Amino acid sequence: MATTSSAHHVFIITGANRGLGRAIAKAVADGSKGAGETRHLLLVGRNKQALEAAGADVVNSYTRVRIVGDVDFSEPPQRATERVVENLKEVMSELIQQNRSSSAAEMRIRLTLVQNAGTLSDLAKTVDQYDGDEVSTYTAVNFVSFAALTAGFLAFAKTCAHADRIAIVNISSLLAVKAFANWGLYAAMKAARDQLLKVVAAENAADSQRIKTLNYAPGPLDGDMQAEVRARVGDAAQRNSYAMMHREKNLVSACATAHVLCGLLDAWEFESGAHIDVFDVAAPSSLSVSAVAAGSSGV
């Protein structure tokens, strides 16, 4: 049974069924009691069954979970956006109804959108090997849907009188700010996402203690996507480097970097629009898979 606190925090996490998205959901839930608030997680993705498993893994007495499954960001972007925002509206309506005896001063609601969903581009290719259809399809999934959901979430959140904090997080990458061979489309979309949230920060500068955006680069994560990178990236030097990191268990733990992100959000001290790399905040030695396995990461 959830706490009856009048402090509530609603998190929308896209791509929450596995990997980093699932780790973020777990870190958010783990931090709910310490933050003194009931946390409501809207877990968004395509695979409803996997989302339900992720939800079962994170629910606790301070955390409620709502599954928003069968959301495909390759479909028309407005359809996916409307589906997510409608679920957010329902949660907000329920919260206001349940706390109708509380005054605006007594009831605190925070809203956070974590945009984690995304796909790899064809890492075997260089830019001169792309074709127009490939570029268009990849952009629709990895930027157009991102921009549409950012707009839809922000438009609704700004109308919520009870919301004292509104955050939009882009799961970014070092590739948004530094070029590497074979990452053309992926890097371009990450850079575009970063810049869009910088624009949102500029447009809301007068309300920057209430509305913030964050571009968070989680580091080279150990997981299925990294395995695909090691198998497919066309640049031999990168392939060898990642293979060594994997062999020596120096890739970043999704659990460790998720907790760093949650710490940034809880502290609320980051500059809106900033690009923050996990290695700006924590030492690589504390984030690696080997450190987490040894219990020396602090997670």
Side-chain angles (χ1 to χ4, degrees):
M1 184 174 178
T3 177
T4 56
S5 168
S6 60
H8 298 270
H9 197 152
V10 182
F11 285 82
I12 301 171
I13 304 171
T14 68
N17 56 297
R18 63 181 182 138
L20 180 60
R22 186 165 180 166
I24 292 170
K26 185 69 166 66
V28 167
D30 288 348
S32 56
K33 183 177 180 180
E37 58 190 18
T38 302
R39 292 185 167 178
H40 307 260
L41 276 61
L42 277 67
L43 305 184
V44 181
R46 287 178 294 184
N47 188 327
K48 186 176 181 180
Q49 186 174 359
L51 289 169
E52 288 172 344
D57 187 45
V58 305
V59 71
N60 60 44
S61 59
Y62 287 81
T63 305
R64 298 170 180 172
V65 173
R66 173 182 284 232
I67 302 302
V68 188
D70 304 318
V71 174
D72 188 347
F73 288 105
S74 64
E75 67 185 10
Q78 198 57 29
R79 185 185 306 163
T81 294
E82 288 172 358
R83 182 104 184 276
V84 174
V85 173
E86 280 305 312
N87 274 270
L88 173 59
K89 288 179 178 178
E90 289 173 11
V91 170
M92 290 294 291
S93 178
E94 290 168 7
L95 285 178
I96 292 168
Q97 181 67 18
Q98 291 164 8
N99 293 271
R100 59 187 180 276
S101 61
S102 301
S103 68
E106 292 172 328
M107 186 179 177
R108 188 198 80 200
I109 297 179
R110 292 173 175 172
L111 302 175
T112 298
L113 169 63
V114 181
Q115 295 243 48
N116 169 66
T119 63
L120 284 175
S121 55
D122 188 341
L123 300 181
K125 291 183 177 180
T126 51
V127 172
D128 57 296
Q129 296 171 316
Y130 296 153
D131 63 52
D133 288 343
E134 179 180 12
V135 173
S136 178
T137 300
Y138 190 81
T139 303
V141 173
N142 291 280
F143 181 73
V144 176
S145 64
F146 171 91
L149 184 53
T150 295
F153 168 81
L154 187 59
F156 172 71
K158 289 172 76 171
T159 68
C160 298
H162 292 285
D164 71 340
R165 286 187 186 178
I166 298 168
I168 303 174
V169 180
N170 165 40
I171 298 303
S172 186
S173 170
L174 174 63
L175 289 145
V177 296
K178 186 174 181 179
F180 290 87
N182 297 96
W183 290 88
L185 280 178
Y186 184 91
M189 295 308 103
K190 289 296 187 183
R193 288 163 63 138
D194 269 32
Q195 193 66 14
L196 183 70
L197 290 202
K198 289 180 181 179
V199 170
V200 172
E203 290 172 345
N204 294 277
D207 202 10
S208 62
Q209 279 309 302
R210 177 174 176 253
I211 301 172
K212 289 191 179 189
T213 66
L214 173 63
N215 296 299
Y216 179 71
L221 299 174
D222 186 41
D224 293 343
M225 188 174 283
Q226 229 296 313
E228 188 175 350
V229 172
R230 295 193 301 275
R232 296 180 55 203
V233 69
D235 182 65
Q238 291 182 64
R239 231 177 14 252
N240 293 336
S241 176
Y242 285 130
M244 180 179 295
M245 292 176 74
H246 178 254
R247 213 167 36 244
E248 297 178 355
K249 299 188 183 304
N250 286 330
L251 290 168
V252 173
S253 157
C255 174
T257 196
H259 276 84
V260 171
L261 171 60
C262 288
L264 289 168
L265 291 172
D266 287 343
W268 203 243
E269 294 173 351
F270 60 89
E271 180 184 353
S272 186
H275 176 103
I276 299 178
D277 193 286
V278 66
F279 297 134
D280 296 334
V281 182
S285 59
S286 70
L287 298 164
S288 68
V289 173
S290 59
V292 171
S296 58
S297 69
V299 173

